[in-house]
Amino acid sequence: MKIKYQGDLFFMLDEKKHYMSWPVIALLDFVTIISFENIFYPYQNQGLSVVISWIFLLFTYVIPYALIATQLGLTFDNQEGGLASWIRRGTGSDLFGYITSWMYWTQTIPYLVDVSNSVIVSLSWIILGDNTLGKHMSTFQFGLLTFVIILLFIIFENVFRDSLEVLSIIGGGAMFAISMLFVFMTGWALTHGAHIATQPFNLAAFKPNFSLHYFSTTGLLIFAMSGAELAAPYISKMRHPKRDFPKAMWMLALMTAFLTIFGTLSLTVFFNANHIPHDFKMNGPYYAFKLLGEQVGMGKSLMYVFAVVQLFFMLAQLAILIDASSRVFASDTAAKYMPSWLTKKNKAGRPIHSYTLTAGISLLLLLLSGTLPNINSIYNWLLNLNGIVSPYKTALVFVAFLAIRFQQDKFKSYYVFIKNKTGAIIVGFWCFIFTFVCATMGFIPQDAHPGTKAFNHQLFMNFLTVGFLIVLGFLLPWMRKMELKREAKNK
């Protein structure tokens, strides 16, 4: 055991303990936040102007977000509960802590279903080699297979948990590598005869069109790049967290910027931003690697490589999401606000009924999405739903930050983002308001025209889904209250 001196603090380093370096933590956080496909739906929604959106968000949102998460992580470095613990400690409210953990759980459910859909899509490209999934499978079969995949992973999560963690590392690392490969190979192709498909390709083409559609799609950009707070549990595994954790967050922000900006510019080489395929959100990544392979003389081989990587990456995401979906039921506020049957644990110490509820809500979402006309519309709606629920969760990061900055004499941290209190609060409020507004605007359907039957149908589904999750979140504490009354009466 060695004793080190750092600033005003003495701390001990266990020479036998395995510490994680800051580049490794940045990479682990990166692969859980953003993937190659995350640049496709913003490109379809906003066209070439999304490059300006990415750059604007980098400096006004992504970097502040990452550094805010850094201060929160280093303020509560002994709290493993993450955002829910930050809110609970910052506001002094157990109820707010429960609400936060509930929101964190609910936002994983649409994503869980969306990822399961992506597993089927990647398998279809591996087997069929093209985009004809809709011709071989009905919407009912698509939904049923999605539900089967979720059930299988719930079982695997309990039986083969360690194997799934390995799958997460392999899948995440491979996705990061192939995303970078696409960008660099596209650059190589441009120097060897490839032409930019998007025309005109000039400064005017990058100018955003500030319409209702533009602002309603920005929530998906936040969804694509949110999650910096997920690195917080790794702080205790760092040798020098005060010095190195901010480095990891800076590296995370720069990697995100590289993929979003240069990845989007790479798409302009193969896809005309003014004429994007209608199924671009679902099949765009496969089209991209197919076109890249043809450009560099490798045929469909790159597309098949990506399809396999995408499959492993999505399976890894499922492993993470299924595990995360149970944590809210094992949190320190669960016993106070949730019925005892829901927090009952199995022999492995895991709240088994949480999986039942996860599967049940997933099934309801699939039944609801089954009212849409085709697989592509189901895929798009679930994806767009994430652009609503995920930013609402992210907004709570800034609530936690504002709580500790208003009480900064009470909460000390190894790292302070913007030492001036007023400046920090202004930035915190900006990030919160921007996130909240984008999430609210996300209720507006993005793949249907206002006034049409499809638009009204999707708008109703958005409000129904979010409303159901909110009502359920308030129903559980009421059920717990009734349960405690019955127990007190029976004594």
Side-chain angles (χ1 to χ4, degrees), residues 201-202 244 270 310 345 381 395:
F201 190 81
N202 51 34
D244 292 341
F270 303 105
Q310 175 78 339
K345 297 178 181 180
W381 176 70

Side-chain angles (χ1 to χ4, degrees), residues 3-21:
I3 300 179
K4 293 279 186 178
Y5 177 78
Q6 182 171 310
D8 297 327
L9 299 173
F10 285 95
F11 61 96
M12 295 184 179
L13 294 179
D14 186 349
E15 292 180 314
K16 295 182 180 180
K17 181 178 178 180
H18 175 67
Y19 292 98
M20 298 176 68
S21 65

Side-chain angles (χ1 to χ4, degrees), residues 166-328:
V166 172
L167 180 65
S168 300
I169 296 172
I170 295 173
M175 177 56 70
F176 172 73
I178 202 164
S179 299
M180 297 300 104
L181 180 68
F182 179 82
V183 173
F184 291 123
M185 287 189 71
T186 300
W188 181 89
L190 279 174
T191 62
H192 290 77
H195 299 286
I196 297 175
T198 300
Q199 297 297 331
F201 190 81
N202 51 34
L203 289 177
F206 287 86
K207 183 180 178 181
N209 177 22
F210 296 113
S211 62
L212 184 63
H213 176 75
Y214 177 89
F215 289 108
S216 69
T217 60
T218 305
L220 275 175
L221 274 72
I222 294 176
F223 164 63
M225 61 175 61
S226 65
E229 70 278 3
L230 295 174
Y234 299 116
I235 292 176
S236 61
K237 298 181 180 180
M238 302 185 77
R239 186 179 294 272
H240 303 290
K242 176 182 177 181
R243 183 189 69 195
D244 292 341
F245 190 65
K247 292 180 182 178
M249 290 296 96
W250 271 107
M251 182 177 172
L252 172 66
L254 293 176
M255 286 193 299
T256 303
F258 179 86
L259 178 58
T260 54
I261 295 172
F262 289 98
T264 301
L265 289 173
S266 298
L267 295 184
T268 65
V269 177
F270 303 105
F271 304 99
N272 186 343
N274 304 307
H275 301 283
I276 297 175
H278 75 285
D279 60 344
F280 193 68
K281 292 178 182 177
M282 184 169 76
N283 294 314
Y286 305 94
Y287 293 151
F289 274 96
K290 179 176 178 291
L291 292 171
L292 175 61
E294 292 171 351
Q295 182 66 47
V296 299
M298 298 179 67
K300 288 187 175 182
S301 58
L302 283 178
M303 182 274 290
Y304 283 110
V305 171
F306 172 76
V308 172
V309 170
Q310 175 78 339
L311 175 62
F312 274 91
F313 180 71
M314 288 302 160
L315 293 176
Q317 288 287 307
L318 277 176
I320 295 169
L321 290 169
I322 292 292
D323 181 61
S325 68
S326 69
R327 291 178 188 173
V328 62

